[in-house]
């Protein structure tokens, strides 16, 4: 027989709250006609599982799921990974048609105990008769190691019985730290496409812009648009809205809990938990952070949602038409005190901690030490071509802080005419 079969190495990383080391493994021969269900059964056989009344799921490097239809629908509101579209059917999707030579993917058995496996396709195909001596009807392991137990006593893939056990890694495998799918392979979010679709009331365009993308650094910006989209097409947006509400709770940045509560209220058709004001959070955050003010702080108009710097109190400076009179309608105005750049420095530090490249981390860390930190940081970010990533991260944090500032004063962001059932916030440009 020709070399038409794949060789797939499967290592068990851990489960039921335990990280394993060394990782026990098996190497499988997988034929062109074998489905992911066939592979799941073979893996569970090889790893000695006798209770098969649990769910199985594969996750590809680009975030696509392979499972049954019911489980796929339930996972659409998951708080991990990219927003998912319809999963591939585990019973019909062929392994050889879905993954390529050299690719890596994940297999999870029992979504409660979370037995997590790393699967890697070899870079060359094999002839099953050469490797196994037979052409099996289903995927079959032809090599293995680890204490399942292993029939040859191997403890890791190249164990020769003479060397000490390799040192355990300092940190658990990324698949055990909810950092899979690989963020480097997941499509980055294009916020301009998001806002273009929102302005055009194009729900399908919005979904196309977010599905399959890494959205977890832009939850405030995206979540602000969800209430209006729910009113247009609830059936299409509901699972995305619930996923964002769950992600916000897990992320737990400033303002995330409040936005999650607002999204849940919109889903339930309940009133928002406070006075509803159509606040432009972009303008408000600029005043709070002191980015565009010279007089330090300003006032929020609780009727229009617009924010004005202290300069607008001076008729001589801005003119009678533009000036505001806070004393004439004191209940209409909320004072906004600028907190300056201290939060911005912490944003830079937290952004640096999220970088995987140790060399880049070091350069960014050096940039924020001492005077001129903001300028040096921006220079490095632009030079490394991660400006869009930083801008999305920074804006999301600022908008979240502005939302939390309002919530502490009993104010929720939305359109008063829609209260009590929905909130809406204009796009940030």
């Amino acid at each position: 027989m020709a070399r038409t079969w794949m060789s797939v190495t499967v290592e068990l990383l851990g489960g039921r709250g335990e990280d394993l080391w060394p990782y026990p493994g098996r190497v499988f021969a997988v034929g062109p006609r074998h489905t992911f269900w066939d592979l799941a059964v073979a893996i569970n056989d090889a790893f000695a599982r006798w209770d098969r009344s649990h769910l199985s799921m594969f996750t590809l490097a680009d975030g696509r799921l392979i499972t049954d239809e019911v489980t796929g629908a339930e996972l659409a509101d998951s708080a991990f990974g990219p927003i998912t579209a319809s999963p591939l059917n585990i019973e019909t999707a062929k392994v050889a048609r879905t993954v390529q030579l050299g690719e890596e993917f994940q297999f999870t058995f029992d979504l409660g105990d979370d037995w997590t496996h790393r699967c890697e396709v070899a870079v060359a195909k094999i002839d099953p008769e050469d490797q196994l001596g037979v052409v099996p009807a289903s995927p079959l392991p032809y090599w293995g190691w680890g204490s399942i137990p292993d029939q040859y006593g191997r403890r890791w893939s190249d164990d020769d019985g003479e060397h000490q056990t390799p040192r355990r890694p300092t940190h658990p495998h990324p698949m055990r730290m909810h950092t899979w799918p690989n963020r480097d392979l997941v499509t980055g979010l294009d916020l301009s496409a998001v806002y273009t679709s929102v302005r055009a009331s194009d729900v399908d365009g919005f979904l196309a812009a977010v599905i399959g993308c890494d959205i977890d650094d832009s939850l405030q910006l995206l979540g602000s648009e969800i209430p209006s989209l729910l009113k247009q097409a609830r059936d299409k947006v509901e699972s995305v809205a619930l996923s964002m509400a769950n992600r916000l709770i897990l992320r737990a940045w400033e303002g995330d809990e409040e936005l999650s509560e607002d999204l849940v209220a919109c889903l339930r058709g309940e009133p928002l938990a406070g006075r509803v004001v159509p606040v432009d959070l972009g303008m408000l955050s600029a005043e709070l952070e002191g980015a565009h003010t010279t007089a330090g702080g300003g006032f929020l108009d609780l009727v229009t949602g617009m924010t004005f710097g202290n300069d607008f109190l001076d008729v001589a400076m801005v003119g009678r038409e533009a000036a505001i009179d806070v004393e004439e309608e004191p209940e209409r105005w909320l004072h906004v005190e600028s907190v300056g750049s201290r939060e911005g420095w912490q944003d830079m530090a937290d952004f640096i901690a999220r970088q995987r490249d140790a060399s880049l981390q070091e350069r960014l860390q050096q940039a924020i030490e001492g005077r001129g930190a903001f300028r040096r940081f921006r220079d490095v970010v632009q030079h490394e071509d991660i400006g869009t990533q930083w801008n999305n991260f920074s804006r999301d944090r600022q908008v979240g802080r502005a939302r939390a500032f309002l919530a502490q004063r009993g104010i929720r962001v939305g359109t008063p005419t829609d209260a009590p059932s929905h909130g809406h916030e204009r796009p940030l440009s």
Side-chain angles (χ1 to χ4, degrees):
M1 176 174 286
R3 298 171 67 86
T4 57
W5 284 46
M6 286 181 164
S7 177
V8 181
T9 298
V10 179
E11 293 180 306
L12 177 59
L13 306 181
R16 207 174 58 186
E18 178 184 7
D19 291 313
L20 301 179
W21 185 256
Y23 304 137
R26 297 289 183 265
V27 183
F28 293 81
V30 182
R33 296 183 180 181
H34 294 150
T35 66
F36 280 92
W37 176 252
D38 295 329
L39 180 57
V41 171
I43 292 173
N44 288 330
D45 285 340
F47 285 86
R49 298 191 177 115
W50 54 89
D51 181 2
R52 304 298 177 85
S53 62
H54 301 286
L55 298 172
S56 295
M57 179 178 70
F58 291 88
T59 306
L60 304 183
D62 61 6
R64 286 180 294 165
L65 300 181
I66 303 173
T67 187
D68 61 272
E69 292 182 358
V70 174
T71 304
E74 293 175 351
L75 291 173
D77 59 8
S78 169
F80 299 106
I83 293 291
T84 60
S86 299
L88 298 176
N89 191 322
I90 194 172
E91 295 184 357
T92 59
K94 302 289 196 300
V95 177
R97 295 181 182 178
T98 307
V99 296
Q100 304 296 318
L101 297 178
E103 277 195 13
E104 187 179 27
F105 56 100
Q106 174 181 300
F107 172 64
T108 305
F109 171 75
D110 187 348
L111 304 190
D113 284 345
D114 193 28
W115 291 103
T116 306
H117 311 71
R118 171 184 173 270
C119 308
E120 183 177 26
V121 183
V123 296
K125 291 188 176 182
I126 62 171
D127 180 340
E129 289 185 332
D130 288 344
Q131 295 288 347
L132 289 81
V134 296
V135 180
S138 59
L140 191 67
Y142 65 94
W143 193 250
W145 57 90
S147 55
I148 299 176
D150 172 64
Q151 66 187 106
Y152 298 111
R154 284 184 299 274
R155 294 165 293 171
W156 58 92
S157 62
D158 55 353
D159 181 13
D160 58 9
E162 298 179 359
H163 293 81
Q164 294 291 327
T165 303
R167 180 177 298 177
R168 180 188 288 266
T170 305
H171 302 289
H173 192 281
M175 287 186 182
R176 298 286 293 158
M177 298 291 290
H178 298 300
T179 57
W180 186 265
N182 188 337
R183 292 185 64 184
D184 295 336
L185 298 179
V186 176
T187 304
L189 181 67
D190 182 356
L191 276 174
S192 63
V194 169
Y195 291 137
T196 296
S197 64
V198 170
R199 286 191 290 268
S201 299
D202 179 5
V203 175
D204 290 334
F206 174 86
L207 294 175
V210 300
I211 287 178
C213 295
D214 181 3
I215 68 167
D216 289 338
D217 283 353
S218 303
L219 295 176
Q220 285 284 337
L221 301 174
L222 292 176
S224 298
E225 311 300 344
I226 290 295
S228 64
L229 296 171
L230 281 170
K231 290 188 294 182
Q232 296 174 52
R234 182 185 179 91
D235 59 327
K236 295 182 178 180
V237 182
E238 188 172 37
S239 65
V240 174
L242 184 56
S243 176
M244 289 189 184
N246 290 335
R247 291 164 187 264
L248 286 160
I249 291 298
L250 284 174
R251 191 178 72 167
W253 293 354
E254 281 194 74
D256 283 357
E257 181 179 358
E258 291 80 3
L259 178 55
S260 180
E261 291 173 354
D262 290 352
L263 292 179
V264 171
C266 289
L267 286 167
R268 294 175 175 173
E270 297 175 350
L272 302 186
R275 177 178 179 179
V276 182
V277 179
V279 180
D280 185 321
L281 289 176
M283 293 181 63
L284 176 60
S285 65
E287 294 297 336
L288 283 170
E289 313 272 334
H292 304 297
T293 60
T294 57
F299 291 87
L300 171 66
D301 187 337
L302 297 177
V303 175
T304 67
M306 302 291 286
T307 307
F308 299 85
N310 286 332
D311 293 345
F312 283 83
L313 296 172
D314 191 339
V315 175
M317 181 173 292
V318 300
R320 187 170 301 278
E321 292 294 327
I324 60 175
D325 190 342
V326 175
E327 295 181 358
E328 183 178 350
E329 299 179 87
E331 72 283 352
R332 176 173 176 169
W333 301 95
L334 175 67
H335 183 243
V336 178
E337 181 177 357
S338 174
V339 298
S341 61
R342 62 177 180 269
E343 298 286 1
W345 190 93
Q346 187 60 51
D347 288 346
M348 294 190 297
D350 291 343
F351 181 76
I352 292 170
R354 297 166 64 82
Q355 303 306 309
R356 296 185 180 185
D357 185 323
S359 176
L360 174 59
Q361 262 195 344
E362 183 178 358
R363 291 194 298 276
L364 288 169
Q365 188 62 48
Q366 291 175 349
I368 66 172
E369 295 175 357
R371 285 181 170 273
F374 288 89
R375 175 185 54 78
R376 290 194 302 273
F377 177 82
R378 285 194 299 269
D379 289 344
V380 175
V381 162
Q382 293 302 322
H383 182 266
E384 297 294 337
D385 197 26
I386 54 174
T388 299
Q389 181 185 352
W390 160 246
N391 288 336
N392 291 354
F393 178 88
S394 176
R395 288 177 60 198
D396 208 68
R397 298 269 282 218
Q398 292 171 8
V399 166
R401 288 193 287 268
R403 193 185 300 276
F405 168 84
L406 294 172
Q408 291 166 5
R409 290 154 180 81
I411 299 170
R412 295 296 175 122
V413 181
T415 304
T417 55
D418 292 338
S421 59
H422 292 288
H424 172 60
E425 182 181 307
R426 69 189 69 183
L428 296 172
S429 58

